[in-house]
Amino acid sequence: MKVKRLFQKTLFGVFSLFGFIGLSTSILCVYTVDTHLSEEYVSNSQDIAKTIADASVDILLNRDLSTLQSLIDQFVEIQGIRYIYVTNEAGEYLAHTFVPGIPEEILAGDPSNTETVDRNLPGMGDFVEVGSPILAGVAGAVHVGMDTDLIALKIQRAIGQQVYLISIVFVVGVFAAIWLVNLAARPVGDVLAYAVAVARDVGGEGEDAVDARHRRVLERDDEAGQLARLFLHCLRNGGPGEARSGAAS
Amino acid sequence: MFTRRSIMTTGLAGLAAGRVFGASSAPGAGVTDTEFVLGMSAAFSGPSRGLGIELYRGATAYFEHVNGREGVGGRRVALKTYDDGYQPDPSVKNTMTLMLEDEVFLLFGYVGTPTVTRVLPMLKKFQDRGMYLFFPFTGAQPQRQPPYGDFAFNLRASYAQETAGLVDNFVRVGRRRIAVFYQADAYGRSGWAGVRAALGRHGERIAGEASYRRGTQFTASMRPQVEILKAAEPDAVVCIGAYAACAGFARDAVDLGLRVPIANLSFVGSENLLKLLAEGRDDPRAYTDRLVNSQVVPSYEDTSIPAVREYREFMERYDPEPPADLVQEAYTPFPHSFVSLEGFLNAKLLVEVLSRLEEPPTRVDLERAVFSVKDFDLGIGERVSFGPERRQGLQQVYYTVVDEGRFVTLDDWQKRFAI
């Protein structure tokens, strides 16, 4: 599909503009998805930690630790949650999901601190850990570790889907732009072809002898038809000056 | 597959051909004029299948004996079984099927804490059906206390009693630094809590702890766990797990030089543990002479006990097979085991309870029938009583060690384990 030289710059401009829009949209999308999903995961983890903390009050006061372990074992089955541990007010680890043991990095921390922290646990990976106090902290705290690698993978997947969609729209847009530009350029080409045909026949049998295929442009009611008729008028009247005076009369 | 099922169909001969009741005296769900249908979900596959299989075999030996005579009040006892592989979700699904589709009379012989703790809320949810869980093979607390204690009856002593006994004896012989190796689930936590509480009474804390995932095979390395506990320099280790993982831990502990007494709870499945540790070794004693296992039934080697003699006789006479359609993996049953003896005693007491039901038998009458059991002689020396404040029949814990390739009663802690 050859684009008329007259419109190549226009087409380049369209591509550039579309590319810019696509790129900026992708960057915004990456940022938005990354931010929102990360916030959502952290928020969900906090909800889970709070749910366990609320349920733990009754379990710690009235029941036994196997029930608490059973509770956190069910929550750790949720995708993205890699570990949960529950401590009492003295910092003792009452229930957890670590195998083969509680990592040193966690043992070295302050279990009463329920602020969100980033953790790197050797052999396990990177995590965002959120916490929730049990009974306002006087009965201990619940900590939930979210696997950031898994979060990153999910974010990448979400972003990939967005970029994939934008790429498809871009490719379709490029072909559509070329087609539209060519559609717009075709009447100009017709006028040019008509002018060339008439010019070749100058001093010959006159414009009536021009191929009917090229004369069809004279029938158009758009700017291309007007241009062709103006050109014919000029030709019949001997030149642009004649045409101007003829057109004025 | 966790949802296959099997129905014990043996022992039909000689039963009453069907008793005629008036319309107003029809038996309740799970009971017909000719049989009681009980439901069981247990591990018949996976690394803990030996527990479900042996418990089933022991119970079946007694049921076959009863069915071969006149049944219970003319009704045979049928056991509808499902495999849950010792996994909570299949056990919940199996229980739904047993309660809502099969409509069994009661649930019996469930295996494991992580499974039972997930099933208990279902019993509360469907409490209008009056379903009870009888004699689960777990010593955990949830089925012994509110809010689910009213839906279960226990025969065996609790893990709290087993761990307290082990800790008390270790401390008495000078071993105060106790570490815990446990299954990372409700069962492991239940035992961990028992050790913690027992140590707390002696002014001590758990010296070190390491865990493993449920379903770990004997072939898996326990080196990380052994190294964690070795660093704690314990005087003894209490294991709260199933036989495959606990045998793996004991093996690696010996290989890595952690030479301290290693205790296991009754749930471990002592014979399977011993088989894994001793089989194919030139010197099995090196791996077994520091083992001490708590038990909730007396030694099946002690034939001075009437119930043990009865158990051995019935096991030999009926030689119960594992449920063929549930057991797909290779398994060689033991002639006798602590687990099958427990299953036998469970069945014996359940038959006694069923025989105390008024006609027509209904679930509504079950609790009264259980509470009517007072000072009942099961034949093991300790008498069994139940009541509103006593939903656990036996309290005694026994201790066994390996001697000449078999578990025997430990008589002298001081001599065997003193520092």
Side-chain angles (χ1 to χ4, degrees), chain A residues 33-34 37-38 40-41 44 78-81 146-162:
Chain A
V33 170
D34 186 24
L37 271 182
S38 297
E40 189 179 322
Y41 273 105
N44 287 345
I78 296 172
Q79 197 179 32
I81 296 180
M146 299 289 293
D147 189 342
T148 52
D149 290 341
L150 190 68
I151 296 172
L153 184 67
K154 282 186 168 292
I155 289 170
Q156 281 170 16
R157 276 190 194 150
I159 289 168
Q161 286 170 347
Q162 297 267 2

Side-chain angles (χ1 to χ4, degrees), chain B residues 163 166-171 174-180 195 199 204-209 229 232-239 263:
Chain B
T163 50
L166 287 168
V167 168
D168 290 348
N169 279 299
F170 277 133
V171 169
R175 295 185 180 273
R176 302 184 70 88
R177 289 185 58 79
I178 311 289
V180 184
V195 173
L199 282 171
E204 299 284 348
R205 301 181 68 169
I206 291 174
E209 61 175 84
L229 296 193
E233 299 180 345
D235 296 328
V237 177
V238 176
C239 299

Side-chain angles (χ1 to χ4, degrees), chain A residues 66 69 92 94 96 98 100, chain B residues 182 185-186 189 196 209-211:
Chain A
S66 64
Q69 184 70 44
E92 194 178 6
L94 298 180
H96 65 80
F98 295 109
Chain B
Y182 62 104
D185 65 7
R189 187 58 59 192
R196 173 174 170 262
E209 61 175 84
S211 58

Side-chain angles (χ1 to χ4, degrees), chain B residues 293-369:
Chain B
N293 288 14
S294 59
Q295 311 289 354
V296 292
V297 293
S299 172
Y300 51 83
E301 300 285 356
D302 188 349
T303 52
S304 67
I305 300 170
V308 169
R309 286 200 301 275
E310 191 179 31
Y311 156 76
R312 294 177 73 101
E313 181 193 335
F314 289 0
M315 289 297 282
E316 189 176 343
R317 186 190 304 168
Y318 299 109
D319 188 20
E321 290 290 320
D325 53 338
L326 298 184
V327 179
Q328 304 294 319
E329 301 156 90
Y331 183 81
T332 307
F334 293 95
H336 308 107
S337 67
F338 288 100
V339 179
S340 64
L341 174 55
E342 184 173 340
F344 179 87
L345 295 175
N346 288 345
K348 187 174 181 181
L349 182 57
L350 184 70
V351 165
E352 176 63 24
V353 170
L354 294 177
S355 71
R356 293 175 183 231
L357 290 170
E358 291 179 353
E359 287 293 339
T362 60
R363 290 179 193 145
V364 175
D365 192 35
L366 268 170
E367 192 173 65
R368 183 208 56 79

